[in-house]
Amino acid sequence: MRMVDLIEKKRDGKELSKSEIDFIISGYTEGRIPDYQMSALAMAIFFQDMTREERTHLTMAMVESGDQIDLSAIEGIKVDKHSTGGVGDTTTLVLAPLVAALGIPVAKMSGRGLGHTGGTIDKLEAVPGFHVEIDNQKFNELVNTNKVAVVGQSGNLTPADKKLYALRDVTATVNSIPLIASSIMSKKIASGADAIVLDVKTGSGAFMKDLEHARELAQAMVDIGNNVGRKTMAVISDMSQPLGFAVGNALEVQEAIDTLRGKGPKDLEELCLTLGSHMVYLGGKADSPETARTQLEEAIRNGNALEKFKTFLSAQGGDPSVVDDPSKLPQAKYTFEVKAGEEGHVASIQADRIGTAAMLLGAGRATKESVIDLAVGVVLRKKIGDSVKKGEPLVTIYSNREDVAEVKEMIEDAYRIVPEAVEGPPLIYDEIR
Ligand code: URA
Ligand code: CA
């Protein structure tokens, strides 16, 4: 086999076989195929797309390029949730204890944030003492005992994807449905989940800015998962504005606690109940997502979900008393209000700009090496559809420095206020199976 022939084949819109895809991915991972040939192939895929079979073969070739996590020591059906990334997406913090409270094992491998999207591990580390450096055996033990544990990414998972993603980033080939779908699914499959619930975001703060593309991506991932025997479904949810009110690590922990108590933002609660009900259903603990939802609502009402959060925190060294006394979370020195310049209704909030504003305060990383400030961030006071009076606060800034002029300006630019009444966007657009 020669790589040049395979590039030509894809360039001309023909289908690559499993053995050809295996040849490409192992050759690229091991350095026999150079970046320039892989770039040409990625561009050919970008224009010619891939069939369902090709996407599945590509995903599995990437899974097999490195280590695969073995979760067989953990009892029960392991259900993972993956979000395509958004601003102020506090769902994992809520879902992990909420779903575990119903006895579903949540063996979560999580990442840190880069750019304007936050990582679950950063958020959890806002709880004093909490750490994710636990070995495999301890991780399995914790999940078996408490039904929930979170660990940092370790080992050599999907090295082919790491290399290819970096290459796509500099060759304008990131935004390709077969390449995104296989990239995300290879990581989920290598992480060992039996079933996968995907939260595909659409809107200004998301990867997929419009619904049509979000649907296409969701279907591509669902097909790959089901093709390889992992029960997979996707929810398409709104990211035209940040989820909930809080964006920033400690602020989001606080928001998660409120939500587990049944007193959180309605959109965050609703998305957690939707995703959670599919997780519980796929985990085999309810005979329909509807009954699962009732059970989850009950776990919030009777305090089991909040209790599970405390157990989870203390099992990994965290101080569980933050749940009842949030002043023990890192606190910012200063707060500032961004006020409405005019009266009217909020028509849009550019989520990515809000995320960037939080990052500028220090809540997120500009580069992989940045050290983040766990206390800082922003809390939205107004969301799309809300009416505002001139001078009313739109956003509260939590900062450890006094000069926030640039951040204020960015937030002012993110809000569009119009005179006429506006309806808020739907939260859930579709479910894909
Ligand atoms: N996230 C991933 O992990 N891979 C992609 O290709 C795009 C987003
Ligand atoms: Ca939030």
Side-chain angles (χ1 to χ4, degrees):
M1 246 181 260
R2 292 196 313 159
M3 183 64 175
V4 63
D5 300 327
L6 303 179
I7 297 170
E8 187 179 303
K9 198 170 171 186
K10 186 45 48 188
R11 184 201 67 192
D12 296 342
K14 301 202 181 90
E15 183 171 359
L16 298 171
S17 70
K18 174 171 171 6
S19 64
E20 287 167 340
I21 290 172
D22 287 343
F23 168 85
I24 294 165
I25 294 303
S26 62
Y28 184 56
T29 311
E30 288 153 27
R32 289 187 301 276
I33 292 171
D35 279 347
Y36 53 81
Q37 285 191 309
M38 198 63 191
S39 311
L41 181 74
M43 192 58 88
I45 292 171
F46 181 93
F47 283 112
Q48 294 290 4
D49 205 344
M50 289 182 118
T51 64
R52 279 172 68 146
E53 286 69 33
E54 286 181 298
R55 294 170 182 191
T56 303
H57 295 322
L58 175 59
T59 304
M60 289 315 290
M62 295 205 288
V63 168
E64 284 152 15
S65 72
D67 300 341
Q68 296 178 53
I69 308 282
D70 177 7
L71 296 178
S72 59
I74 298 169
E75 301 137 24
I77 301 173
K78 275 73 71 181
V79 188
D80 202 358
K81 183 225 62 155
H82 178 80
S83 152
T84 57
V87 177
D89 185 354
T90 317
T91 52
T92 301
L93 294 185
V94 178
L95 277 172
L98 177 57
V99 169
L102 297 193
I104 308 283
V106 180
K108 187 91 194 135
M109 189 182 271
S110 268
R112 293 180 189 279
L114 184 61
H116 73 254
T117 60
T120 296
I121 292 183
D122 298 319
K123 295 173 194 179
L124 285 167
E125 282 177 351
V127 176
F130 189 91
H131 64 92
V132 293
E133 289 78 25
I134 46 179
D135 64 28
N136 283 349
Q137 198 191 338
K138 175 88 179 161
F139 179 67
N140 293 346
E141 270 171 33
L142 286 180
V143 182
N144 278 334
T145 323
N146 299 331
K147 297 298 168 198
V148 53
V150 173
V151 69
Q153 256 130 21
S154 66
N156 183 31
L157 287 199
T158 60
D161 173 63
K162 274 199 196 83
K163 215 173 155 185
L164 180 56
Y165 198 9
L167 185 72
R168 288 163 55 210
D169 207 20
V170 293
T171 56
T173 50
V174 167
N175 231 325
S176 151
I177 300 243
L179 294 177
I180 298 172
S182 56
S183 167
I184 293 175
M185 290 306 288
S186 68
K187 283 174 277 206
K188 288 289 114 182
I189 293 165
S191 310
D194 302 314
I196 301 159
V197 173
L198 299 162
D199 179 15
V200 177
K201 308 278 195 191
T202 182
S204 63
F207 223 12
M208 293 289 145
K209 308 284 178 207
D210 63 75
L211 183 55
E212 190 195 333
H213 286 103
R215 253 200 206 107
E216 224 185 296
L217 175 63
Q219 190 70 59
M221 294 193 288
V222 166
D223 287 345
I224 291 170
N226 289 322
N227 270 352
V228 302
R230 317 277 172 128
K231 279 192 237 161
T232 305
M233 68 82 63
V235 169
I236 299 181
S237 72
D238 184 62
M239 194 30 78
S240 65
Q241 58 182 340
L243 189 63
F245 301 118
V247 183
N249 300 287
L251 296 168
E252 287 185 56
V253 170
Q254 167 75 67
E255 183 167 77
I257 294 166
D258 295 343
T259 307
L260 288 166
R261 211 177 243 128
K263 296 195 161 72
K266 284 299 148 208
D267 59 345
L268 176 61
E269 178 185 275
E270 178 56 34
L271 183 58
C272 289
L273 288 171
T274 304
L275 295 170
S277 62
H278 291 291
M279 292 172 75
V280 171
Y281 172 62
L282 290 184
K285 297 273 178 184
D287 52 20
S288 72
E290 292 71 33
T291 36
R293 188 184 166 108
T294 312
Q295 294 171 20
L296 292 169
E297 286 168 345
E298 180 56 22
I300 292 176
R301 207 167 17 238
N302 66 21
N304 287 354
L306 200 61
E307 216 33 60
K308 186 58 84 176
F309 192 50
K310 290 184 189 169
T311 307
F312 160 56
L313 293 178
S314 55
Q316 294 191 228
D319 178 359
S321 70
V322 298
V323 170
D324 297 313
D325 182 4
S327 71
K328 290 183 174 172
L329 290 167
Q331 304 288 317
K333 256 191 254 162
Y334 310 104
T335 60
F336 304 94
E337 306 287 354
V338 180
K339 294 182 178 142
E342 63 214 308
E343 181 174 313
H345 302 84
V346 179
S348 62
I349 307 172
Q350 257 183 292
D352 46 357
R353 280 182 177 250
I354 300 291
T356 305
M359 187 185 80
L360 289 175
L361 289 165
R365 290 185 182 78
T367 71
K368 265 188 223 157
E369 286 71 36
S370 312
V371 175
I372 58 174
D373 185 337
L374 297 166
V376 304
V378 299
V379 174
L380 309 191
R381 303 296 173 196
K382 297 286 177 183
K383 296 199 47 171
I384 299 178
D386 289 348
S387 62
V388 288
K389 296 197 182 68
K390 188 175 170 165
E392 247 191 309
L394 295 174
V395 169
T396 306
I397 295 173
Y398 291 79
S399 173
N400 274 327
R401 53 187 158 84
E402 279 182 279
D403 177 14
V404 293
E406 190 190 1
V407 174
K408 266 192 166 161
E409 200 177 312
M410 183 154 275
I411 294 169
E412 279 162 4
D413 283 351
Y415 271 77
R416 197 165 60 87
I417 294 170
V418 299
E420 63 277 11
V422 176
E423 228 183 287
L427 177 67
I428 312 277
Y429 291 96
D430 210 348
E431 290 176 3
I432 307 276
R433 267 165 257 267

